[in-house]
Amino acid sequence: MDAHGGGARRIQWQQNQAGVAPPRWEEWQMETLRPGSTGAHVSMLQLGLQRSGYYEGNLDGIYGAQTTEAVRRFQRAFGLSVDGVTGPQTWNAVLPFVRGYVVRRVQQGDTFWNLAQRYSTTVRAIATANPGVDPQALRIGQSLTIPLRYAVVPTNLSYSYALLGEILDGLQARYPFLWRGNAGKSTMGKPLPLVRIGTGGVEVFYNAAFHSNEWITTPVLLKFLEEYAAAYARGGEIGGVSAETLYRRATLYLMPMVNPDAVDLVTGALQSGDAYSNAARLAKNYPDIPFPAGWKANIVGIDPNVQFPANWEKARDLKFAAGYRTPGPREYPGTAPLTAAESRSVYDLTRNHDFALMLAYHTQGSIIYWKYLDYEPPRSREIGEKMSQASGYPLELTPEGSSYAGYKDWYIQDYNRPGYTVEVGLGQNPLPISQFDEIYRANLGILTIGLTEASYIE
């Protein structure tokens, strides 16, 4: 079986305030998974097995009999020890299918055309991934990045920090014109990924997953990034607008997962260790909030979107009055502004740039919040109304209980420029991934309008 489930060949490649010290994150290495394992890392394994043609089940995060048998068949086909356990060697073989590309050393007779046929991809995709390589002068032993036939960004499984890293690696490999860096570190020390696309003089900022059980916003930004990059590479459109025009007019920065430590907690990528134990202990002080599904805060129980110097004291008083006086799953504002590493990272990033417009993605309500107190930045209502018309989301004022110390509030207060909190989807957080397609359809216009209109903000 080949990488796509048919034929006899197979692809080859080379390959704090909680009263305790914050747990630290070490350089990521995939955990060994085995029958009985659960969570987002199992979903990622299932994704790789599915894309390689060895798994046909749901990406449910359950390492049951079907997943075990798929692992065994994969291991057998790839010359690995057949034990049904996903350890380092099996992960190394699976992850290229998660990233969506392989690296091939040029062999005698290779051309872009026959490589495209072999890997079920296109000559254009290979050329885009290998800028500066002359297809008429390939050298034996030369490394080529070969994109595989599917989109990189999955929209049918739970996310984790590890999956985010693999996706960003895959996107940058396919579209080398993307810039990738970090916007600081999380409480546990994870680098917070930042991606840039475009070369225009106007800077725009989109972020997602400030709240951990709102992780569905992460693939919203990633899918937009992938579609935008693909449209630019082929000279096409995104959201009905020329991708090249957007690329030349604006520089877009995306921070797709502001709060990764706690996203892993919610989606089951983090199920043990000091960080998990500490969060579980804090959650017991709020027994009415389900654990870990109800967790919005960072990993040590500070809400990173109630941390900005925009009437923080007012926010603190409101949250305390509502009963959120200690670190826990949600709403606790900390002992002072910007004490949460994630909030401070976003603050510093903003201070180091000149963003003309920003979107902060949250869930739920299918609403766009556009104003802070009496601040009404020039054109903010006009742009917001365009976003509302494109999405069907009403443009509304933020409720009193959530009107202070948020990132949008501080951005509008200090910069007097259009800033929006977009609350996607309906229901109880975390929203089911089954809502993704509807959410993305509604928000494609918002994401495109933000780039288009920012070009005209003075």
Side-chain angles (χ1 to χ4, degrees):
M1 181 177 288
D2 71 5
H4 307 113
R9 67 178 188 272
R10 79 178 182 210
I11 288 179
Q12 297 178 348
W13 61 89
Q14 298 153 287
Q15 305 274 272
N16 91 28
Q17 296 177 66
V20 297
R24 305 307 297 170
W25 171 85
E26 301 300 332
E27 186 66 27
W28 173 72
Q29 182 176 0
M30 279 309 304
E31 62 180 317
T32 294
L33 301 176
R34 49 180 46 87
S37 296
T38 61
H41 289 165
V42 177
S43 297
M44 183 166 72
L45 168 65
Q46 292 169 330
L47 174 69
L49 294 170
Q50 183 185 76
R51 287 176 168 180
S52 64
Y54 294 90
Y55 179 73
E56 296 179 355
N58 295 323
L59 308 184
D60 58 9
I62 300 172
Y63 205 127
Q66 190 175 12
T67 301
T68 302
E69 179 56 28
V71 171
R72 287 179 176 276
R73 290 191 292 115
F74 182 90
Q75 290 170 330
R76 188 174 296 112
F78 280 75
L80 303 171
S81 176
V82 181
D83 58 6
V85 174
T86 304
Q89 290 185 333
T90 302
W91 271 122
N92 287 340
V94 167
L95 286 176
F97 297 104
V98 177
R99 301 177 191 125
Y101 75 94
V102 298
V103 175
R104 177 181 173 86
R105 298 286 186 186
V106 173
Q107 300 176 17
Q108 185 69 40
D110 280 352
T111 66
F112 277 15
W113 186 88
N114 64 30
L115 289 173
Q117 300 303 303
R118 176 182 177 87
Y119 291 95
S120 301
T121 187
T122 67
V123 170
R124 182 195 292 271
I126 296 174
T128 299
N130 298 277
V133 174
D134 183 353
Q136 304 303 317
L138 298 181
R139 303 186 310 275
I140 303 299
Q142 181 179 15
S143 292
L144 292 179
T145 297
I146 311 294
L148 301 180
R149 64 188 174 98
Y150 43 80
V152 176
V153 179
T155 60
N156 58 347
L157 79 169
S158 297
Y159 266 62
S160 65
Y161 181 74
L163 177 60
L164 171 63
E166 299 300 330
I167 290 169
L168 293 179
D169 181 57
L171 291 177
Q172 190 175 41
R174 288 190 181 204
Y175 306 110
F177 51 82
L178 297 178
W179 174 90
R180 179 181 172 190
N182 299 312
K185 292 188 176 181
S186 72
T187 297
M188 291 178 68
K190 293 185 178 77
L192 299 175
L194 182 70
V195 189
R196 183 182 70 206
I197 180 171
T199 58
V202 176
E203 293 186 322
V204 180
F205 180 42
Y206 297 167
N207 61 72
F210 254 99
H211 290 142
S212 50
N213 65 352
E214 300 174 6
W215 59 262
I216 198 172
T217 57
T218 293
V220 171
L221 292 193
L222 292 175
K223 184 174 176 65
F224 178 74
L225 174 64
E226 182 168 23
E227 291 192 348
Y228 180 11
Y232 174 71
R234 68 173 185 268
E237 295 184 344
I238 178 75
V241 181
S242 163
E244 183 173 2
T245 297
L246 295 179
Y247 193 93
R248 302 302 178 196
R249 285 184 177 175
T251 298
L252 173 62
Y253 290 84
L254 299 103
M255 194 172 175
M257 191 181 286
V258 173
N259 188 7
D261 303 339
V263 167
D264 281 357
L265 176 71
V266 170
T267 63
L270 177 66
Q271 299 185 19
S272 62
D274 292 344
Y276 181 89
S277 298
N278 184 58
R281 179 180 64 81
L282 296 177
K284 289 179 180 178
N285 295 323
Y286 298 87
D288 293 337
I289 300 175
F291 179 80
W295 195 278
K296 292 175 61 178
N298 73 359
I299 198 66
V300 292
I302 303 171
D303 190 319
N305 202 41
V306 194
Q307 270 277 287
F308 290 86
N311 277 294
W312 177 85
E313 292 80 4
K314 177 70 170 177
R316 176 197 59 198
D317 294 345
L318 287 170
K319 300 303 182 185
F320 279 21
Y324 300 105
R325 293 175 168 270
T326 60
R330 56 183 296 163
E331 311 298 340
Y332 177 64
T335 57
L338 303 176
T339 52
E342 298 80 7
S343 310
R344 185 75 204 197
S345 295
V346 175
Y347 176 89
D348 289 343
L349 174 70
T350 306
R351 284 295 193 207
N352 289 328
H353 287 272
D354 187 29
F355 298 130
L357 179 147
M358 81 84 189
L359 297 177
Y361 266 87
H362 291 257
T363 64
Q364 47 173 287
S366 297
I367 293 170
I368 303 170
Y369 295 123
W370 70 285
K371 198 175 179 183
Y372 173 58
L373 300 180
D374 292 330
Y375 295 90
E376 187 172 332
R379 300 199 62 233
S380 58
R381 182 193 292 269
E382 174 193 347
I383 295 171
E385 287 174 346
K386 290 182 178 181
M387 292 177 175
S388 176
Q389 183 176 7
S391 63
Y393 290 4
L395 192 66
E396 297 190 3
L397 301 179
T398 310
E400 170 69 13
S402 302
S403 294
Y404 309 100
Y407 176 63
K408 169 186 69 70
D409 309 326
W410 168 73
Y411 176 81
I412 291 174
Q413 169 192 276
D414 276 28
Y415 290 90
N416 195 34
R417 289 176 173 174
Y420 306 90
T421 295
V422 184
E423 300 275 1
V424 309
L426 294 170
Q428 182 175 347
N429 290 331
L431 298 180
I433 195 65
S434 59
Q435 287 196 23
F436 181 85
D437 289 344
E438 180 181 353
I439 288 171
Y440 187 73
R441 281 194 298 271
N443 282 274
L444 178 57
I446 294 176
L447 292 159
T448 306
I449 287 167
L451 278 177
T452 303
E453 296 298 325
S455 301
Y456 302 102
I457 296 172
E458 296 181 358

